[in-house]
Amino acid sequence: MDPKQPRNIYSDMSQSSTQPPAGAAPRPEKWTEIEHLPEWDEDFYDVYTARKYGKWVMLKTLKEQYKDDLRFRSMIEKEFDVRYNLAHPHIIMINDLEEVPGVGLSIITDDVYGKSLRKILDAGEVKPAHLDKIMHQLVDAIEYIQTNHLVHSPIRPETIIFTENIENLKLIDVGFDQKETLTPADATEDIHAYGKVLAEVLDQVPGAPGWLRKVADKCMDPDPSKRYRDVVQLRLALLHRTDNKLYLAVIAFLIVMIGVLLWFTSPLAPAHPA
């Protein structure tokens, strides 16, 4: 058994016995309430919500025209391998890869019950709380993606979900391949995509600080060399701080310390008591 594959207690039970133990409750039907979610579809995938043994999950499966193509089956299997061990509070968790009746080979993830940022934008329902989570939770997720050298589709409002009730931010499309290292170009593409998301959100948040618009514009600069060079620099900008200010503070501290040392070693310093 592949150690990466989670143990399925129901399949184990079916191999040992076709009947539940006497007095046990009937086993629930495995797959029910499968529903297509067109707004969350991706370039090569359709996305569904469903119940597996009564628990809500999401299914990501190849579009019909790609299901029998071995290249695309290999692609979905590789995405499962890449993402299975990821764990981050703002990235959807993958649980399994399984053939689902009537759907096909599917990546099975935790259910994310809520609204996509695209739906929130289209309905004109953006609130300052959404902006705050774009500024912090989304940046945290991007940093995690880059730290793990994940190759992924551009981040966009359709792949950003705000969960029901507490509206926690979750990314649902975070990587289909993994590199030994990311290039500066990879990092700046994430910065550009982030700027586009931030700009759309700012359009619907009256009274947002003007410097945030400058951050979005810098992220989207047509010249990649003029964008923020990495997530650390972007995070400082979102906090309305710059690494230049930090350097200046360090330099000022060193100047003061050098001045104190020079004064103590000069003739003007007070003499030590005998």
Side-chain angles (χ1 to χ4, degrees):
M1 182 176 182
D2 186 344
K4 292 183 66 177
Q5 298 291 336
R7 177 182 171 92
N8 188 323
I9 61 171
Y10 294 100
S11 62
D12 291 348
M13 290 167 59
S14 65
Q15 292 171 8
S16 60
S17 173
T18 58
Q19 297 295 330
R27 188 187 310 169
E29 186 178 350
K30 186 171 185 178
W31 292 106
T32 57
E33 299 183 56
I34 299 174
E35 181 183 350
H36 185 206
L37 302 175
E39 67 169 294
W40 291 0
D41 285 351
E42 301 171 19
D43 290 341
F44 303 107
Y45 298 110
D46 287 335
V47 178
Y48 293 78
T49 185
R51 284 184 184 267
K52 182 181 181 182
Y53 292 118
K55 177 185 176 182
W56 283 108
V57 296
M58 293 182 71
L59 311 175
K60 180 175 176 178
T61 187
L62 291 169
K63 291 182 179 293
E64 194 62 38
Q65 61 267 36
Y66 305 122
K67 288 185 184 297
D68 297 326
D69 190 318
L70 292 180
R71 296 170 300 171
F72 288 95
R73 281 186 71 92
S74 176
M75 180 181 74
I76 193 172
E77 289 168 356
K78 184 167 188 177
E79 179 167 342
F80 171 76
D81 289 338
V82 166
R83 292 182 55 189
Y84 181 66
N85 289 314
L86 298 181
H88 190 275
H90 305 306
I91 292 175
I92 192 169
M93 294 287 294
I94 281 184
N95 300 323
D96 208 345
L97 180 69
E98 184 176 338
E99 286 282 351
V100 178
V103 176
L105 184 65
S106 302
I107 291 174
I108 302 171
T109 74
D110 290 340
D111 182 53
V112 182
Y113 191 66
K115 293 182 180 179
S116 68
L117 178 58
R118 169 57 60 210
K119 181 173 282 188
I120 293 170
L121 286 164
D122 290 348
E125 296 175 348
V126 176
K127 299 176 291 190
H130 294 124
L131 172 60
D132 182 73
K133 288 171 183 176
I134 293 296
M135 293 171 60
H136 298 97
Q137 295 181 356
L138 180 56
V139 175
D140 288 345
I142 293 173
E143 185 173 41
Y144 183 83
I145 289 169
Q146 293 193 354
T147 299
N148 286 276
H149 307 159
L150 300 179
V151 182
H152 59 93
S153 302
I155 293 167
R156 59 194 195 281
E158 288 78 4
T159 63
I160 300 169
I161 308 300
F162 287 95
T163 61
E164 193 177 44
N165 299 325
I166 64 172
E167 295 192 320
N168 187 36
L169 184 148
K170 292 275 189 179
L171 280 180
I172 63 171
D173 182 15
V174 297
F176 52 83
D177 203 351
Q178 197 165 23
K179 294 183 177 181
E180 288 294 325
T181 184
L182 290 184
T183 67
D186 295 323
T188 194
E189 283 304 310
D190 283 341
I191 299 293
H192 183 264
Y194 177 83
K196 292 174 67 175
V197 171
L198 178 61
E200 274 204 76
V201 171
L202 288 173
D203 287 342
Q204 292 194 22
V205 182
W211 53 267
L212 281 177
R213 179 65 65 176
K214 293 180 180 179
V215 171
D217 290 342
K218 185 175 177 69
C219 288
M220 297 186 294
D221 195 298
D223 182 354
S225 67
K226 294 181 180 179
R227 300 172 193 161
Y228 299 105
R229 65 175 178 269
D230 53 34
V231 175
V232 173
Q233 197 176 58
L234 171 60
R235 194 188 298 278
L236 286 171
L238 290 167
L239 293 172
H240 208 200
R241 291 159 43 191
T242 67
D243 45 9
N244 288 336
K245 290 180 180 178
L246 179 61
Y247 297 147
L248 289 173
V250 172
I251 291 170
F253 174 77
L254 292 175
I255 290 172
V256 170
M257 293 303 297
I258 291 170
V260 170
L261 290 172
L262 290 174
W263 184 77
F264 273 112
T265 58
S266 72
L268 298 176
H272 293 287

